[in-house]
Amino acid sequence: MKIFKFGGASVKSAGAIKQVAKIIEMETEPLVVVVSAMGKMTNKLEELCNDFFYQKGNAFALIEDVRKFHFEIIENLFKENDKAIKEKIETLFCNLQEIVATEPSICYDFEYDRIVSFGERISTAIISEYLNSVLLENQLVDIRTALKTDNNYRDANIEIELSEKFCKNIFTFTDTTRYVTQGFIAGTTTNQTTTLGREGSDYTAAIIANLLDAESVTIWKDVPGVMNADPKLFADAEIMPRISYKEAVELSHCGAQIIHPKTIKPLQNKNIPLLVKSFVNPDAAGSIILAIKEK
């Protein structure tokens, strides 16, 4: 069993989502597919949260912007056969509108988590439905039912033993070989929505891999792999094909933006390799981060 994680850039348009489907189709092993919000949608939902919390008066207009973005993607993906997915997404937008129609609580972080989480909830609903429509059968899992956290909103801590129990009960692979679920978000034992902080979707993939003893995790990005320098600044930057867990952590401390250290730790604890590959050129080798014995 493997974990594939697709970030916002790899699901930012109908064309990108079709490429994601091609990548998933190439994999013969059972998969858990972890997906981020589409494009820059987290930023848009953060704007919505600020408007709602500070009662600026533009919340419903912002929701309509978010709605138009997603429905344009739906129309480009499904053409005429989009009634079922439109109904599902309309329900999510109704839920979002119900939130902003109320008075906000006094806790900004609580409001942030329940509003911003709609980005992942909407993206996974669309992608799961699209995969099924092209005969890539899958089950959509609400990760909030599987990963349980404390109530430290916006930077929640995973309750490992409880999450392991729920994950093993949910990701059984008895009725399907593919699951689609959300990155970045989780849930408390009282069913409140939480988020996992910086690089939360990568961390979600790593945690699920750890709890389910996955064979590997692949993070699909708009870069060819882990680079030894920023290619935007250095024309001679090269891909690092093979990196140790330790080197990856050191690179992140030196400013590299590819992998956050908290993503590495759950994988290192169980020697699960982490691949960083290009969703534009999936046949390219990319980079692999794994245990390397020091000489």
Side-chain angles (χ1 to χ4, degrees):
M1 185 271 290
K2 298 179 180 179
I3 313 291
F4 279 7
K5 182 264 177 176
F6 294 95
S10 57
V11 292
K12 65 182 180 181
S13 66
I17 293 168
K18 290 176 181 179
Q19 176 66 5
V20 165
K22 290 178 182 178
I23 292 170
I24 290 171
E25 187 176 21
M26 291 165 57
E27 182 53 60
T28 58
E29 295 290 322
L31 279 179
V32 177
V33 180
V34 177
V35 183
S36 299
M38 294 179 172
K40 300 293 185 182
M41 197 46 55
T42 296
N43 295 342
K44 193 71 174 180
L45 289 166
E46 286 176 345
E47 184 182 353
L48 170 61
C49 179
N50 286 334
D51 191 284
F52 166 63
F53 189 79
Y54 296 109
Q55 296 290 279
K56 296 179 180 180
N58 299 314
F60 287 99
L62 290 168
I63 289 175
E64 185 57 25
D65 289 344
V66 174
R67 183 187 177 281
K68 285 181 179 178
F69 173 85
H70 287 98
F71 271 78
E72 182 176 337
I73 288 176
I74 288 171
E75 288 167 4
N76 288 329
L77 277 177
F78 296 91
K79 304 301 180 185
E80 294 82 15
N81 302 316
D82 59 3
K83 183 178 179 181
I85 185 59
K86 281 186 173 180
E87 289 177 353
K88 290 180 182 179
I89 301 306
E90 283 288 12
T91 298
L92 286 171
F93 276 105
C94 286
N95 294 340
L96 184 55
Q97 289 172 330
E98 288 171 1
I99 290 173
V100 302
T102 64
E103 291 291 323
S105 70
I106 61 172
C107 178
Y108 178 87
D109 291 348
F110 169 78
E111 301 297 353
Y112 178 98
D113 282 3
R114 67 173 181 156
I115 288 175
V116 172
S117 65
F118 276 87
E120 280 72 18
R121 293 167 65 190
I122 294 167
S123 70
T124 48
I126 293 171
I127 289 165
S128 174
E129 192 76 16
Y130 176 70
L131 293 175
N132 280 322
S133 76
V134 295
L135 305 181
L136 293 173
E137 181 271 333
N138 72 93
Q139 289 184 15
L140 177 62
V141 170
D142 186 338
I143 198 62
R144 297 175 298 174
T145 66
L147 289 185
K148 293 299 179 180
T149 72
D150 60 16
N151 60 357
N152 188 37
Y153 299 107
R154 294 191 70 185
D155 194 16
N157 300 293
I158 300 288
E159 303 283 358
I160 293 296
E161 291 185 4
L162 190 58
S163 296
E164 182 177 14
K165 175 183 176 182
F166 281 118
C167 279
K168 287 182 176 179
N169 285 339
I170 291 170
F171 296 105
T172 60
F173 293 96
T174 54
D175 299 322
T176 185
T177 59
R178 300 183 194 92
Y179 293 93
V180 174
T181 195
Q182 304 84 18
F184 182 55
I185 71 175
T188 67
T189 55
T190 55
N191 295 326
Q192 301 301 317
T193 301
T194 54
T195 61
L196 303 178
R198 182 184 172 192
E199 303 299 330
S201 290
D202 289 356
Y203 183 54
T204 300
I207 286 291
I208 294 173
N210 177 288
L211 298 180
L212 298 180
D213 296 310
E215 176 185 335
S216 65
V217 174
T218 303
I219 296 178
W220 297 92
K221 288 181 169 284
D222 56 352
V223 293
V226 179
M227 311 293 287
N228 62 359
D230 188 340
K232 295 178 182 178
L233 300 176
F234 300 93
D236 59 349
E238 296 180 350
I239 297 173
M240 303 174 68
R242 187 178 173 89
I243 312 162
S244 70
Y245 296 122
K246 181 181 178 181
E247 288 171 321
V249 171
E250 289 173 349
L251 280 169
S252 69
H253 288 316
C254 292
Q257 300 298 313
I258 295 293
I259 304 297
H260 194 276
K262 75 177 184 180
T263 298
I264 298 294
K265 188 61 177 174
L267 303 176
Q268 185 177 14
N269 286 347
K270 288 195 173 179
N271 283 331
I272 298 171
L274 173 61
L275 293 88
V276 179
K277 301 190 68 173
S278 167
F279 74 86
V280 176
N281 186 15
D283 291 328
S287 302
I288 184 168
I289 302 169
L290 72 173
I292 298 175
K293 292 182 180 180
E294 296 183 1
K295 295 180 180 180

